[in-house]
Amino acid sequence: MSSTAAPETPKAKLTKADFQSDQDVRWCPGCGDYAILSAAQQVFAGLGIPRQNFVMVSGIGCSSRFPYYVNTYGFHTIHGRAPAVATGIKMANPELQVWLITGDGDALSIGGNHLMHALRRNVDLKILLFNNRIYGLTKGQYSPTSEVGKVTKSTPFGSLDHPVNPISLALACEATFVARTADIYQQHLQETLKAAAAHKGSVFIEILQNCIIFNDGAFKDVTDRAIRDDKQVLLEHGRPLIFGKGHDKGLRFNGLDVEVVQLGKDGVTEKDLIVHDAYAENQTLAYLLSRVENPVPMGLFRNVTRPSFEQRAHAQVDETIKKYGKGDLDKLLKGKETWTVN
Amino acid sequence: MTAQLDRLSPAPAKRQVLKSVTVRFAGDSGDGVQITGGQFTNTTAIAGNDLATLPDFPAEIRAPAGTLPGVSGFQIQFSSADIHTPGDQPDVLVVFNPAALKVHLGDLAPNGLLICDTSQFDKAHLAKAGYTANPLEDGSLTKFRLFPINITEKTLAALRSLESLSTREKQRCKNFYALGMAYWLFNRPIETTLRWIEDKFKKEPDIAEANVLALKGGYAYCEMTDTFQAVAYEIPPAPTSKGTYRNLSGNQALAMGLVAASARSGLPLFYGAYPITPASDILHELARHKNFGVVTFQAEDEIAAAAATVGAAFAGSLAVTSSAGPGIALKSEAVSLAVMTELPIVIVDVQRGGPSTGLPTKTEQADLLFTLFGRHGEAPVCLLAPATPGECFQYALEACRIAVKYMTPVYLLSDGYLANGAEPWRVPAAAELPQFPVKFETNPEGFHPYKRDPKTLSRPWAIPGTPGLEHRLGGIEKREITGNVSYDPENHERMSVLRRDKVNRIAEEIPLLEVEGDKDAEILLIGWGSTYGAIRAGCELVRARGVKAAQVHLRHLHPMPKNVGALVKKYKRVLCPEMNLGQLSVLLRAEHLVDVISLNKIQGQPFKAREIAAGILNALDGKPVKQPGASGAQGEDNHEFDSGA
Ligand code: SF4
């Protein structure tokens, strides 16, 4: 793709348009991907990072076409391998701001292994998982996040396998930044992306995304305007977990479980509720919350700091140079024992 | 003891001068055979002999002690002349247990020297090795010059004064005792090993002392024992050209070649790998050289190692991945991506016996067709193969140079034999190495990611972080010049042809093949990779009988040097020895329509010189050339050759 813009002379301010490429966006009309693209472009413009330092990396799937539409560096790689390719990019140049766009099939099925290791290593990648609970690009087979019994082309009598919970998985992989948002929540989406950009280390964001063609309404039980206040709970650090249209419900521990309680009923007050702690080193609370399905927790499950992988890799190089001096090729070639023929 | 040791001086006896000798050490994998062999090699290299080695590891780290699968071996040929192989058959065999005797005795030359540590020749150990009678006593070894010595007991005696060590710890020093004996037999100085022990056991002075005592003990024992005076030898140094030399294995050479390529290109080296035999040593070696700016990445699997390498190449590193066996198959997908995105990566394949897990510790050359063709779609890549351990250095550099110049993946085909085998190597000065400074594209004026250099057909390398060159790469077919996604049928054909032609352009700058051997030869041998030495030695054997043979050796396997076709058409007969079932033969036949005769060996072991020689004679006689394990009409290997010494 030829570059359209002249070199970036430190322009006063980048705009969303600076992040739009000259390529026609080819998602189905009404696809949730459009909203995510737009939110990302908006956020990128405001980060104060030069355009040439962004790299969009993706795997294969509908969502993975994303890099073509963002006017930065981009790499549309192979199915499932984006975390590995992105790790290589980031290790080669830690200065780059690397975003990784993936889907439920790409990240959790064929690329499950790479996702797990990128997260545990804490490579500084902003991973956006567009979860539409279906394979779109291959025209509608069930995915690792599809509900049991899903009837699709490849499962005419219903799917058999138990789905994976992306948030639980990311937490189990020791991810340092884990959040959930949805395509239709422009504002929350943008806030989450902004927080992600500021995080140094692996970011994992599950974005509930509607595939209008093959799995329309997969999240309408959660996100529909009429019911959503009762069907989701917003995770806010330091705040009790309250939800409901009338702000009258909350989440409370019940042994090792989390239960929904009615505020004011049976003497339940705000004091009985779980207070969210996104910065806890121990991820048990975040994990417990990730298991709650009704209401669906949205927002930031976890945000802790740990040195990122590529930072440590380069620090090791620097330390070695400090300790042994810069490598001397002649010395290396000679090795320890030589003999000379005159 | 010390008083005696002070007398350790060279040439105490009348030594018989030999031109070359092949020695093999063998024992249980816990006996320290590889260390013994490695030390003997280093010392011999420093003594100025030409040499070649063949370590032979068991597949299991520790198979049950005393069993046949647990036997580990190390062979070295060293000489006062130029040599090319580790020797067809050992003249001297040192064994530490009955299993090692059982496995290796068949190879020992008639009248060869056989030194047996008798400590384990008891009923139980003999039975484990499958002996019903003690071969030391039943007269079955009369063909050889047998030295039954209880080396273990003698080691304990030599270490008597060391009270801090257990008997077990002391017994483990027996390999150094045997090494001391070998040093005496061939009049080698012990200082190199003394220095090594001191360095290696810096933190365990007791163990260091024990090994030193054992080494000196073995040396002194031979010197003081009459029976050994008749087997004292001297192998004078080989005449070599001026220079500084060191001993070097293929894996070490390859790793250094990559570091050198990084220095000479000005690009930081990124090395992504997953542990696998016999390639892991390259990762180990590179991980030690972080002060050269080397970034090593032990990935979660082979796929990730290759994919991260592609990513690092995109971001501007000298990006290299490596593997062997099944790991190479797993990399194909990422290599195809590098073909499509035209990013420079080097894939090191240290070939081993296959398919599947196959023979992980043994050598083979059966990945030629896989690396050339084993990708989906039309996915041309460049293929190189060093011929000797030392050449692994040179071709690692060359692989990197070609990759970045042509923006293409390059496979570098080593193998288990090159990887672990060692030879003396003339140390070049860093400044004489090829230099290929890389200039990334920085000019946005008229920039297009797939606009090609008219000469090389290479596209520009524009790395993230460069203002004004923002562009998107990907696996989807590219439109010519712009690199935009394109499903256009004609464009796909054009791009497929361009990708092919670009790799073929490399042939414009690679050296033509040079024929070695007789000018008026009746037969041409054509080989590639690690068979070089055996082919050369095989040609020398038949030449001694008046047969005229010539040899060419391919280091560039794709594209091949331009004169290959003319050469294979020029000779009456063309014989192609390979450690596979005939892969280069297939290519030569297909490309040049020449009736190439295959000489194949697929036993996890390199060719012996006499196997090549027998193949030459059979081919010239019009007899079938031996095909391994083939039933029915078999070629014969009934030509008798001296072991070359
Ligand atoms: S198939 Fe579904 S996910 Fe893919 S572009 Fe169309 S609507 Fe979006």
Side-chain angles (χ1 to χ4, degrees):
Chain A
M1 240 138 285
S2 55
S3 158
T4 42
E8 214 90 357
T9 35
K11 204 158 81 172
K13 215 165 175 202
L14 292 167
T15 64
K16 184 178 171 189
D18 290 318
F19 287 88
Q20 290 164 339
S21 79
D22 58 356
Q23 299 296 295
D24 296 333
V25 183
R26 300 249 187 98
W27 288 310
C28 309
C31 174
D33 291 357
Y34 284 95
I36 308 172
L37 174 65
S38 158
Q41 287 164 332
Q42 188 70 52
V43 169
F44 293 163
L47 291 177
I49 297 170
R51 207 164 51 97
Q52 69 268 13
N53 282 3
F54 284 89
V55 187
M56 303 294 128
V57 184
S58 66
I60 294 292
C62 291
S63 59
S64 288
R65 296 299 171 91
F66 194 98
Y68 291 121
Y69 310 137
V70 183
N71 191 19
T72 62
Y73 285 92
F75 202 162
H76 178 214
T77 71
I78 32 183
H79 206 11
R81 319 296 175 217
V85 176
T87 298
I89 293 173
K90 193 72 191 175
M91 286 185 84
N93 184 356
E95 303 299 312
L96 300 171
Q97 168 87 194
V98 182
W99 291 71
L100 195 156
I101 289 78
T102 181
D104 37 319
D106 193 53
L108 301 172
S109 194
I110 192 166
N113 194 33
H114 308 305
L115 177 72
M116 163 179 155
H117 292 281
L119 293 178
R120 80 165 166 89
R121 289 188 184 111
N122 200 34
V123 186
D124 184 16
L125 307 172
K126 327 296 180 201
I127 302 175
L128 310 185
L129 188 149
F130 295 17
N131 182 10
N132 56 19
R133 309 184 81 176
I134 199 78
Y135 282 79
L137 193 65
T138 48
K139 302 202 170 132
Q141 298 83 12
Y142 80 108
S143 89
T145 53
S146 297
E147 61 280 13
V148 177
K150 182 93 178 161
V151 174
T152 69
K153 281 189 194 125
S154 63
T155 50
F157 304 109
S159 64
L160 304 173
D161 26 334
H162 191 80
V164 66
N165 176 327
I167 300 286
S168 300
L169 182 85
L171 289 166
C173 295
E174 320 260 338
T176 51
F177 183 110
V178 180
R180 179 187 280 141
T181 181
D183 52 4
I184 57 167
Y185 299 155
Q186 262 307 303
Q187 184 165 353
H188 187 250
L189 184 53
Q190 288 193 24
E191 277 164 18
T192 311
L193 297 181
K194 246 183 253 167
H199 181 74
K200 186 87 187 129
S202 277
V203 163
F204 180 86
I205 303 175
E206 180 193 8
I207 305 175
L208 308 182
Q209 174 248 325
N210 194 41
C211 169
I212 196 166
I213 304 292
F214 295 109
N215 204 16
D216 193 20
F219 302 105
K220 72 174 189 316
D221 297 353
V222 183
T223 55
D224 264 9
R225 198 172 287 274
I227 53 161
R228 68 179 170 213
D229 289 342
D230 287 315
K231 291 295 185 182
Q232 57 187 323
V233 56
L234 185 64
L235 305 176
E236 288 173 293
H237 177 75
R239 304 282 293 272
L241 297 176
I242 298 176
F243 68 105
K245 251 204 180 91
H247 259 278
D248 55 347
K249 285 183 276 195
L251 296 181
R252 178 175 78 173
F253 287 119
N254 177 7
L256 282 178
D257 230 327
V258 175
E259 63 177 1
V260 174
V261 289
Q262 193 75 42
L263 284 171
K265 206 174 150 199
D266 302 328
V268 174
T269 70
E270 252 188 56
K271 285 210 176 91
D272 299 309
L273 301 184
I274 302 170
V275 175
H276 185 47
D277 184 357
Y279 304 123
E281 272 301 324
N282 182 325
Q283 69 250 61
T284 308
L285 172 65
Y287 186 80
L288 262 180
L289 293 173
S290 78
R291 309 307 297 166
V292 178
E293 289 179 354
N294 188 6
V296 172
M298 304 292 278
L300 190 56
F301 287 78
R302 182 171 203 235
N303 183 0
V304 296
T305 36
R306 174 148 55 85
S308 65
F309 183 64
E310 74 289 343
Q311 233 177 7
R312 301 198 61 200
H314 283 267
Q316 202 171 51
V317 168
D318 296 342
E319 279 157 28
T320 322
I321 291 173
K322 220 188 248 162
K323 198 161 160 201
Y324 302 106
K326 220 169 162 29
D328 175 344
L329 190 53
D330 278 307
K331 231 160 120 188
L332 175 74
L333 298 181
K334 276 209 182 91
K336 278 192 181 155
E337 298 272 0
T338 57
W339 68 98
T340 303
V341 178
N342 294 312
Chain B
M1 195 83 187
T2 7
Q4 270 182 20
L5 286 172
D6 291 336
R7 293 201 294 106
L8 287 187
S9 54
K14 255 199 215 110
R15 291 186 172 270
Q16 193 185 332
V17 176
L18 297 178
K19 189 171 146 207
S20 84
V21 178
T22 300
V23 179
R24 189 185 291 175
F25 300 94
D28 220 46
S29 51
D31 284 341
V33 167
Q34 299 302 329
I35 292 178
T36 311
Q39 282 305 305
F40 191 84
T41 303
N42 279 342
T43 294
T44 296
I46 291 169
N49 293 119
D50 194 13
L51 65 87
T53 69
L54 175 61
D56 189 15
F57 310 100
E60 286 81 17
I61 302 299
R62 288 284 161 92
T67 60
L68 303 181
V71 173
S72 173
F74 188 101
Q75 181 166 318
I76 170 171
Q77 178 174 210
F78 54 106
S79 173
S80 57
D82 207 13
I83 51 159
H84 316 292
T85 74
D88 279 9
Q89 48 179 195
D91 306 300
V92 179
L93 176 63
V94 182
V95 296
F96 289 102
N97 69 4
L101 181 66
K102 181 103 183 185
V103 171
H104 292 290
L105 186 67
D107 294 336
L108 183 59
N111 204 31
L113 226 64
L114 174 59
I115 299 175
C116 274
D117 180 357
T118 57
S119 67
Q120 291 192 10
F121 280 72
D122 52 47
K123 244 203 168 114
H125 283 94
L126 287 166
K128 255 194 225 174
Y131 281 114
T132 46
N134 187 344
L136 300 181
E137 290 159 4
D138 66 2
S140 61
L141 302 176
T142 47
K143 275 206 313 199
F144 311 103
R145 284 177 288 165
L146 175 66
F147 288 83
I149 299 157
N150 194 328
I151 293 177
T152 307
E153 202 178 272
K154 290 199 178 301
T155 306
L156 288 178
L159 306 187
R160 218 174 359 225
S161 61
L162 290 181
E163 278 159 12
S164 59
L165 296 183
S166 68
T167 306
R168 230 187 122 76
E169 284 171 312
K170 289 179 183 175
Q171 278 172 342
R172 293 186 49 156
C173 298
K174 68 182 173 191
N175 61 327
F176 280 95
Y177 195 93
L179 182 61
M181 293 173 64
Y183 281 166
W184 186 88
L185 289 179
F186 299 105
N187 198 21
R188 317 266 91 163
I190 61 172
E191 282 69 23
T192 309
T193 297
L194 290 180
R195 274 199 298 274
W196 181 86
I197 292 173
E198 202 180 303
D199 187 54
K200 176 91 184 169
F201 300 102
K202 239 184 286 178
K203 295 202 179 106
E204 298 160 292
D206 289 359
I207 305 280
E209 190 185 354
N211 283 327
V212 167
L213 284 180
L215 183 74
K216 291 181 173 176
Y219 195 103
Y221 168 69
C222 287
E223 188 170 60
M224 308 302 288
T225 307
D226 282 348
T227 44
F228 280 106
Q229 305 309 313
V231 292
Y233 299 106
E234 180 78 52
I235 290 89
T240 35
S241 35
K242 275 187 189 173
T244 299
Y245 288 80
R246 67 176 286 188
N247 185 46
L248 192 64
S249 76
N251 270 351
Q252 277 177 317
L254 208 153
M256 279 196 333
L258 295 175
V259 175
S262 162
R264 302 300 281 172
S265 64
L267 298 179
L269 178 63
F270 175 90
Y271 191 77
Y274 184 77
I276 190 165
T277 304
S280 302
D281 283 342
I282 304 173
L283 171 63
H284 305 164
E285 183 71 21
L286 288 172
R288 295 172 49 227
H289 301 311
K290 299 237 147 107
N291 60 331
F292 285 86
V294 176
V295 171
T296 56
F297 174 48
Q298 182 178 318
E300 59 270 27
D301 59 27
E302 298 282 2
I303 297 171
T309 300
V310 176
F314 179 47
S317 285
L318 184 64
V320 183
T321 184
S322 70
S323 194
I328 286 296
L330 287 169
K331 297 198 188 290
S332 285
E333 182 197 36
V335 177
S336 296
L337 177 67
V339 170
M340 186 56 113
T341 52
E342 305 193 35
L343 285 169
I345 62 167
V346 172
I347 313 102
V348 177
D349 178 1
V350 187
Q351 299 166 95
R352 64 186 217 186
S356 190
T357 307
L359 304 175
T361 59
K362 311 289 178 189
T363 194
E364 203 160 286
Q365 294 183 302
D367 291 353
L368 172 59
L369 295 183
F370 182 83
T371 47
L372 184 57
F373 296 124
R375 284 167 298 285
H376 53 283
E378 292 287 354
V381 297
C382 172
L383 244 65
L384 302 179
T388 66
E391 277 188 15
C392 289
F393 176 82
Q394 181 188 339
Y395 282 89
L397 259 160
E398 177 69 352
C400 295
R401 187 190 69 81
I402 291 178
V404 299
K405 177 165 179 186
Y406 292 86
M407 295 292 279
T408 178
V410 178
Y411 274 99
L412 183 57
L413 298 178
S414 176
D415 64 29
Y417 169 50
L418 290 179
N420 295 312
E423 64 175 0
W425 182 67
R426 196 185 72 79
V427 179
E432 18 171 290
L433 299 174
Q435 204 168 10
F436 48 104
V438 169
K439 279 216 189 83
F440 297 118
E441 183 61 71
T442 53
N443 184 7
E445 201 71 47
F447 168 75
H448 291 290
Y450 279 74
K451 195 165 124 189
R452 293 174 193 279
D453 178 305
K455 195 160 158 237
T456 58
L457 296 182
S458 174
R459 70 174 196 86
W461 195 359
I463 61 170
T466 316
L469 303 188
E470 292 84 358
H471 64 281
R472 274 64 62 190
L473 293 180
I476 301 182
E477 182 61 282
K478 302 275 163 290
R479 174 156 293 281
E480 208 185 335
I481 301 173
T482 66
N484 285 332
V485 167
S486 169
Y487 300 103
D488 176 63
E490 307 232 317
N491 177 73
H492 176 53
E493 186 164 286
R494 263 199 319 276
M495 289 296 275
S496 299
V497 169
L498 273 168
R499 285 187 287 263
R500 179 198 64 191
D501 290 352
K502 179 179 79 166
V503 171
N504 287 344
R505 285 281 169 101
I506 300 167
E508 299 295 331
E509 62 162 288
I510 60 180
L512 296 181
L513 280 178
E514 277 179 38
V515 182
E516 296 177 56
D518 303 306
K519 288 245 143 53
D520 48 348
E522 313 150 66
I523 186 166
L524 177 74
L525 281 89
I526 182 163
W528 66 280
S530 70
T531 52
Y532 172 78
I535 295 175
R536 182 149 170 201
C539 287
E540 280 168 11
L541 285 181
V542 295
R543 198 164 297 133
R545 296 195 170 187
V547 173
K548 297 206 159 144
Q551 171 185 13
V552 288
H553 209 73
L554 288 164
R555 273 90 169 173
H556 290 266
L557 286 156
H558 190 77
M560 289 190 194
K562 284 175 157 179
N563 61 340
V564 175
L567 282 173
V568 293
K569 284 179 186 142
K570 190 172 142 191
Y571 292 83
K572 214 161 83 200
R573 290 212 164 71
V574 178
L575 181 65
C576 179
E578 291 180 273
M579 295 190 290
N580 58 38
L581 292 179
Q583 301 196 2
L584 176 60
S585 302
V586 165
L587 295 177
L588 294 172
R589 283 169 163 266
E591 190 68 24
H592 303 294
L593 302 175
V594 168
D595 188 12
V596 175
I597 307 165
S598 267
L599 172 60
N600 308 123
K601 177 174 185 181
I602 184 149
Q603 301 174 4
Q605 298 292 339
F607 274 107
K608 293 179 170 163
R610 59 181 171 176
E611 290 167 340
I612 304 277
I616 296 173
L617 297 187
N618 283 332
L620 287 174
D621 289 351
K623 285 190 198 151
V625 169
K626 189 177 177 185
Q627 290 287 335
S631 53
Q634 276 233 359
E636 291 160 52
D637 185 9
N638 54 3
H639 301 278
E640 286 292 326
F641 288 95
D642 298 334
S643 61

